[in-house]
Amino acid sequence: SFSSGAAIIVNLYLMILVGVEFFDRLDRDNLPHSICEFGLAKGSVTMASTMMQSVIIQMCVLPMYKELENRSPSKFGRILLMAFSTLAVLFIFLSVAGYVAFGPTVNSNLLVSLPHNTAMNVVQAGMIIVLAAVYPVMMIAMIAPVKNLPLERFGAGPGAARKKSLAVAGLTIFFVAASFVPALKVKSLGLVNVLDGA
């Protein structure tokens, strides 16, 4: 879909920006000297829990498999292998280049540590597209248990379908509000990552 393709382009663009910043600092001999080669620094536990959240998709597997055209377990496995291989390269590059370029003082939101210029404004706006592409996948997984309940669970008669639709809509509104309201107040991505990983 368009949103998925746009999200991939935005992430590749972010990789390029981080790479350019890393090589620019390397060229100017401006890399921090206080980095740990093993990556053991403040935020390591949060980074590990965030990484796990990024690759744990059990709750999304069944809804994604249901949407796959000409689905088969082997085809789905190949798609997952390709997706996780791409994610591994993306995560390794961003985490290593970001940490080596900015050192242990890197912000929990890498975008904040990058220079504030037009290129960065473009990638920050692009992250809205990334969120718009990912959020529905997560939402489908969260409402799937209610959406897939048999109609009989909502009562007998013609009103059961309406009750089910209202339950799904209500659950959707609840999850959107549950993520939207805290986002208005919480300014630190690091805090969000720590709480999500707890």
Side-chain angles (χ1 to χ4, degrees):
S1 76
F2 168 76
S3 60
S4 297
I8 291 168
I9 290 169
V10 169
N11 279 297
L12 291 175
Y13 179 60
L14 175 60
M15 282 181 64
I16 292 167
L17 286 182
V18 172
V20 165
E21 183 65 21
F22 168 75
F23 286 111
D24 180 54
R25 287 173 179 243
L26 180 66
D27 187 50
R28 291 185 286 126
D29 196 28
N30 194 23
L31 292 175
H33 300 290
S34 58
I35 63 169
C36 173
E37 284 79 13
F38 295 107
L40 299 175
K42 180 182 170 189
S44 295
V45 173
T46 301
M47 192 276 302
S49 72
T50 302
M51 180 67 74
M52 293 303 107
Q53 290 173 37
S54 300
V55 296
I56 296 174
I57 60 160
Q58 288 95 332
M59 71 283 192
C60 301
V61 168
L62 293 177
M64 288 190 315
Y65 185 76
K66 183 180 176 184
E67 297 293 321
L68 181 62
E69 283 184 26
N70 303 318
R71 59 186 169 265
S72 72
S74 60
K75 181 179 181 181
F76 193 62
R78 286 191 307 274
I79 291 169
L80 285 179
L81 178 64
M82 191 164 126
F84 280 123
S85 300
T86 304
L87 275 178
V89 170
L90 179 72
F91 288 154
I92 290 167
F93 178 83
L94 284 175
S95 61
V96 171
Y99 179 65
V100 173
F102 300 104
T105 60
V106 66
N107 193 289
S108 59
N109 181 353
L110 179 63
L111 299 179
V112 174
S113 293
L114 289 168
H116 300 287
N117 54 33
T118 304
M120 265 314 301
N121 293 339
V122 169
V123 82
Q124 285 187 339
M127 282 300 149
I128 295 169
I129 296 170
V130 173
L131 292 173
V134 172
Y135 196 85
V137 174
M138 296 298 163
M139 182 61 71
I140 289 168
M142 290 187 285
I143 64 172
V146 174
K147 194 173 185 178
N148 294 325
L149 281 173
L151 208 53
E152 299 81 46
R153 296 290 298 265
F154 295 91
R162 180 168 164 72
K163 286 180 186 176
K164 183 176 181 178
S165 294
L166 287 173
V168 170
L171 193 59
T172 302
I173 291 168
F174 169 77
F175 283 128
V176 169
S179 58
F180 178 75
V181 172
L184 293 174
K185 295 288 181 191
V186 178
K187 303 296 181 199
S188 168
L189 187 59
L191 176 62
V192 172
N193 290 333
V194 168
L195 294 176
D196 284 346

